[in-house]
């Protein structure tokens, strides 16, 4: 029973460092963030919550498109696969400091002939082998720290990809609605040009209109028809881009889009913290970069631990049973003991690995600091963009309204013979430009909100997307 007792003792020893861990203990990097936003906050920052921001845009079609795009996104599928890989690595690292047990069974039949007669022998053998590397200096523990940090980073990057897919789909949808709005304006304009050309042609045939005016009206109608064809092609191309993003059937997609043809979503407001430091908790890419720094810090300790002795405890028990022509024999062999090993001459290999780990840490730290600066800049730029859109609203709407009044008056004067066709066409071009500017402003206003949603993290919950309690992928069972 003594060997069994010793092996049991080996398996129950705690898998922990017996000495202080080598390498630096991770400390979050200090960040010099501004004390407040320089760009004005919309509505003074008194806004609603940021969760699934696209559902707050008041457009069911857009919500369907984003949900479908997320479900079909190859980028998200790859990000989820990287989470599974990182979790497997973390599990492997987590059990590296535990004892291992292997077993084997063997049986064989042999015959020995020394002249005569033949002797037959049956051998049966069972072995149980155990091994445990005692983590003297914390190298294994550092590997575990690094694996856990990489797992958390991969989870954050899934959310980053999710926000990016949602923003990309929203912007493609906004571009489509802008083209639909322009198409509707151009259809009305082309119809008006065609009617004017018909009337002028009738007057020309009656000798009541100069040939130059007839030619001008015909050219104007041709311009309108050409612009209409170009815009229809642009709209169809944008629909096909949405088909590629979502994987939806084009016929079904066109049917869904007709429900709100040319209508832009209405953005909902959300909370924006006063301090840029609070942004770090809302940006999955910043969180992922910070975890990269933590993993690189742990890797330094793992590399340094290779310089120190390694202690292994190992043992085995091997019962043996022999049967030689009816004569039975049994024996049990066992062994247990420590093995201490350490590098003596390695040609600088370990030192080079330590230098590489320290360089990786420096690179990760620099990337993290830059990511934070980029995050603050993106929010500032989105705020400026949104403020500019808000400031332009009154002027853009007034210009479109007044140019339409002027065109209507010029059209009436031209029909009554008090204005030339040249004046009418000049007024028409001005009105079309104003309507195009208004449609572009409406697209920019919503796009500015989308940019701000994305810049502040898109409502990232900071959870594992593959765990049961996390935010499920659109289309998954909830």
């Amino acid at each position: 029973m003594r060997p069994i007792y010793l092996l049991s003792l080996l398996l129950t020893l705690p898998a922990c460092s017996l000495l202080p861990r080598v390498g630096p203990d991770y400390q979050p990097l200090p960040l010099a963030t501004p004390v407040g936003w320089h760009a004005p906050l919309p509505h003074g920052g008194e806004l609603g919550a940021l969760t699934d921001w696209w559902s707050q845009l008041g457009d069911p079609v857009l919500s369907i498109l984003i949900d479908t795009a997320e479900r079909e996104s190859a980028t998200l599928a790859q990000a989820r696969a990287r989470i599974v890989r990182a979790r497997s690595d973390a599990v492997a690292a987590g059990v590296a400091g535990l004892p291992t047990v292997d077993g084997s069974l063997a049986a064989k039949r042999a015959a020995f002939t020394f002249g005569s007669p033949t002797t037959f022998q049956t051998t049966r053998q069972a072995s149980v082998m155990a091994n445990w590397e005692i983590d003297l200096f914390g190298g294994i523990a550092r590997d575990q720290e690094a694996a856990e940090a990489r797992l958390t980073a991969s989870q954050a990057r899934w959310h980053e990809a999710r926000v990016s897919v949602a923003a990309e789909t929203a912007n493609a949808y906004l571009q489509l609605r802008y083209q639909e709005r322009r198409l509707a304006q151009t259809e009305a304009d082309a119809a008006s040009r065609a009617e004017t050309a018909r009337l002028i042609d009738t007057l020309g045939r009656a000798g009541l209109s100069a040939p130059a005016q007839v030619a001008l009206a015909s050219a104007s109608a041709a311009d309108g028809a050409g612009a209409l064809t170009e815009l229809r092609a642009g709209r169809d191309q944008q629909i096909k881009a949405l088909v590629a993003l979502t994987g939806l059937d084009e016929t079904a997609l066109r049917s869904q889009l007709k429900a709100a043809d040319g209508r832009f979503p209405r953005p909902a407001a959300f909370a924006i913290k006063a301090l840029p430091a609070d942004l770090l908790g809302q940006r999955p890419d910043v969180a992922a970069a910070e975890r990269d720094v933590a993993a690189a810090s742990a890797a330094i300790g793992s590399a340094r631990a290779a310089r120190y002795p390694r202690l292994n405890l190992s043992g085995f028990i091997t019962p043996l049973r022999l049967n030689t022509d009816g004569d039975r024999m049994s024996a049990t062999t066992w062994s247990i003991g420590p093995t201490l090993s350490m590098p003596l001459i390695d040609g600088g290999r370990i030192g080079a690995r330590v230098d590489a780990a320290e360089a990786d840490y420096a690179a990760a730290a620099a990337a993290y600091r830059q990511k934070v600066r980029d995050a603050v800049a993106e929010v500032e730029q989105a705020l400026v963009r949104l403020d500019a859109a808000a400031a332009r609203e009154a002027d853009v709407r007034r210009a479109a309204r007044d140019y339409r009044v002027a065109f209507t008056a010029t059209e009436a004067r031209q029909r009554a013979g008090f204005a030339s066709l040249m004046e009418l066409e000049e007024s028409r071009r001005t009105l079309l430009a104003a309507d195009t500017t208004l449609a572009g402003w409406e697209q920019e206003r919503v796009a500015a909100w989308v940019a701000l949603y994305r810049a502040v993290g898109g409502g990232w919950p900071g959870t594992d997307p593959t765990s049961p309690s996390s935010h499920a992928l659109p289309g998954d069972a909830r």
Side-chain angles (χ1 to χ4, degrees):
M1 296 297 293
R2 184 180 180 187
I4 296 178
Y5 170 76
L6 291 175
L7 273 182
S8 300
L9 178 62
L10 170 62
L11 296 176
T12 55
L13 287 172
C16 61
S17 300
L18 301 183
L19 298 172
R21 296 179 184 178
V22 299
D25 290 328
Y26 175 68
Q27 297 293 332
L29 295 176
L31 298 173
T33 55
V35 295
W37 301 111
H38 295 283
L41 299 179
H43 304 287
E46 297 296 329
L47 307 170
L50 173 66
T51 304
D52 287 344
W53 51 264
W54 58 87
S55 65
Q56 302 180 43
L57 293 175
D59 192 322
V61 175
L62 177 57
S63 295
I64 292 173
L65 292 179
I66 290 179
D67 287 347
T68 307
E70 288 187 345
R71 187 170 60 248
E72 298 295 326
S73 170
T75 302
L76 278 175
Q78 292 167 358
R80 291 195 71 156
R82 284 191 286 270
I83 291 177
V84 175
R85 171 61 185 272
R87 179 175 289 115
S88 300
D89 291 342
V91 171
V95 300
L98 300 177
T100 61
V101 180
D102 296 303
S104 66
L105 293 172
K108 61 183 179 179
R109 177 77 169 168
F112 304 92
T113 302
F114 302 96
S116 181
T118 300
T119 301
F120 294 94
Q121 184 181 76
T122 301
T123 305
R124 295 181 179 87
Q125 177 180 308
S127 295
V128 177
M129 296 155 284
N131 184 76
W132 178 41
E133 180 181 348
I134 300 176
D135 195 14
L136 284 177
F137 296 95
I140 294 176
R142 294 298 188 193
D143 287 338
Q144 293 171 351
E145 289 178 20
E148 289 293 336
R150 294 188 188 102
L151 173 58
T152 306
S154 67
Q155 293 167 353
R157 287 193 170 96
W158 180 89
H159 291 284
E160 179 189 4
R162 176 175 176 262
V163 173
S164 296
V165 168
E168 181 182 1
T169 306
N171 284 324
Y173 180 76
L174 291 177
Q175 181 63 26
L176 173 65
R177 291 311 191 194
Y178 169 70
Q179 291 177 336
E180 288 175 343
R181 178 70 65 82
R182 286 200 59 197
L183 182 59
Q185 294 165 348
T186 305
E187 283 176 344
D189 178 71
S192 178
R193 289 175 188 244
E195 177 62 18
T196 299
R198 187 188 67 79
L199 292 175
I200 296 298
D201 182 67
T202 300
L203 292 174
R205 292 177 184 277
L208 300 176
S209 180
Q213 286 205 338
V214 174
L216 179 60
S218 177
S220 176
D223 281 343
L228 193 59
T229 300
E230 181 180 2
L231 285 172
R232 282 172 176 162
R235 177 201 58 187
D236 291 343
Q237 289 175 349
Q238 197 62 33
I239 289 176
K240 293 182 185 302
L242 282 172
V243 168
L245 277 171
T246 62
L248 291 172
D249 175 73
E250 183 171 336
T251 302
L253 176 60
R254 287 178 180 271
S255 177
Q256 289 180 336
L257 292 172
K258 286 182 180 178
D261 192 5
R263 188 189 312 161
F264 288 100
R266 296 183 177 276
F270 62 92
I272 305 174
K273 301 296 184 182
L275 297 178
D278 292 333
L279 177 67
L280 304 184
Q282 295 181 222
R283 289 275 299 226
D285 57 339
V286 171
E290 187 273 337
R291 288 291 83 198
D292 288 341
V293 178
S297 175
I300 294 175
S302 177
R304 289 180 183 175
R307 290 172 168 165
Y308 296 92
R310 301 177 64 177
L311 178 61
N312 279 274
L313 292 179
S314 59
F316 70 87
I317 303 174
T318 304
L320 178 67
R321 300 292 182 265
L322 297 176
N323 186 333
T324 304
D325 285 345
D327 294 332
R328 301 178 183 276
M329 297 177 57
S330 63
T332 300
T333 60
W334 62 272
S335 173
I336 186 170
T339 301
L340 188 65
S341 63
M342 66 177 297
L344 297 177
I345 300 174
D346 68 351
R349 175 177 55 85
I350 295 176
R353 289 180 177 176
V354 172
D355 292 343
E358 291 174 346
D360 288 342
Y361 175 82
Y368 173 54
R369 292 189 180 97
Q370 185 61 51
K371 183 66 70 174
V372 171
R373 289 193 294 269
D374 290 345
V376 173
E378 287 174 14
V379 174
E380 290 279 9
Q381 291 166 356
L383 288 173
V384 169
R385 184 178 175 184
L386 191 59
D387 184 61
R392 291 178 57 211
E393 179 176 5
D395 293 335
V396 171
R397 291 191 183 280
R398 184 172 65 251
R401 182 185 65 246
D402 291 348
Y403 279 127
R404 182 164 297 282
V405 171
F407 172 76
T408 301
T410 303
E411 188 177 37
R413 290 174 57 236
Q414 194 274 335
R415 291 182 183 278
F418 297 107
S420 68
L421 183 61
M422 185 70 71
E423 290 178 276
L424 177 64
E425 293 306 318
E426 180 67 26
S427 180
R428 189 196 309 280
R429 285 192 294 269
T430 303
L431 172 61
L432 185 59
D435 284 343
T436 299
T437 300
L438 177 60
W441 171 83
E442 291 197 45
Q443 179 197 11
E444 171 61 17
R445 177 179 64 108
V446 185
W449 276 108
V450 172
L452 186 56
Y453 283 126
R454 183 175 185 175
V456 297
W460 172 52
T463 57
D464 178 357
T466 61
S467 68
S469 60
S470 70
H471 177 92
L473 277 171
D476 291 348
R478 294 179 184 259

